[in-house]
Amino acid sequence: MDFDMEVIRIGHGYDVHALRDGLPLILGGESIEHDKGFVAHSDGDVLAHALSDALLGALALGDIGSHFPDTDPQYCGADSLDLLSKVYGMIRQKGYRLANADMTILLQRPKLRPHIDRMRENIARTLWVDIDRISIKATTEERLGFTGREEGAAAHAVVLLVKG
Ligand code: MG
């Protein structure tokens, strides 16, 4: 079987940010009412960061830290959907587009279910794809580990890119 290995590419991303009392909690571009938020140079949107890394990883383009260093004052308080949009511009420039993305957020509190569809909309709009290509799931880690102790949150993302 003859198959062009450049037609499809898979990517994975993972990110973590610490939570602290009184800071804004932004996930998937959605501002979520909560008593804790992310300690970060940017807005700390772990979901957007994991997704950006997955997109970059699919084409072996490094990671968001290499493209948008957290030592650069330009990215202080940055809207991570803007960074995601810039990352996707690099992907499009290489001739690829997103087939689908599947993501999981690890967070003890608050319940994310009421916010998931708006996060999906935000990301679908940023990447110019239909919402049914964007999957976002959320889970707690059963009060275990750093997410369980509400010290931080994590996100995983897997993407498939197609050429054309
Ligand atoms: Mg990050």
Side-chain angles (χ1 to χ4, degrees), residues 23-99:
L23 292 176
L25 181 65
I26 294 169
L27 278 169
E30 224 23 58
S31 223
I32 295 169
E33 194 76 34
H34 191 45
D35 52 5
K36 291 174 184 233
F38 290 123
V39 181
H41 185 67
S42 67
D43 62 13
D45 189 335
V46 283
L47 188 65
H49 295 176
L51 180 56
S52 298
D53 269 356
L55 290 166
L56 290 168
L59 295 184
L61 292 174
D63 56 38
I64 50 170
S66 60
H67 293 280
F68 313 106
D70 63 7
T71 49
D72 188 336
Q74 184 186 343
Y75 302 116
C76 183
D79 178 340
S80 297
L81 287 188
D82 284 347
L83 303 184
L84 177 64
S85 175
K86 288 193 173 82
V87 164
Y88 197 54
M90 296 178 214
I91 302 304
R92 296 294 295 132
Q93 206 150 38
K94 292 275 183 186
Y96 287 83
R97 59 195 163 82
L98 182 70

Side-chain angles (χ1 to χ4, degrees), residues 15-17 49:
D15 194 37
V16 171
H17 279 283
H49 295 176

Side-chain angles (χ1 to χ4, degrees), residues 27 30 32 105 107 110-120 136-139:
L27 278 169
E30 224 23 58
I32 295 169
I105 303 166
L107 181 74
K111 286 270 175 252
L112 293 180
R113 187 172 296 268
H115 306 284
I116 293 282
D117 281 344
R118 281 200 302 276
M119 294 182 205
R120 293 174 65 215
I136 300 175
K137 309 178 305 294
T139 185

Side-chain angles (χ1 to χ4, degrees), residues 127-158:
L127 302 182
W128 300 82
V129 296
D130 288 342
I131 192 168
D132 63 2
R133 292 169 185 265
I134 305 296
S135 161
I136 300 175
K137 309 178 305 294
T139 185
T140 72
E141 291 190 295
E142 301 289 340
R143 300 214 158 272
L144 297 168
F146 71 85
T147 71
R149 292 189 296 269
E150 301 183 37
E151 294 167 0
H156 294 269
V158 175

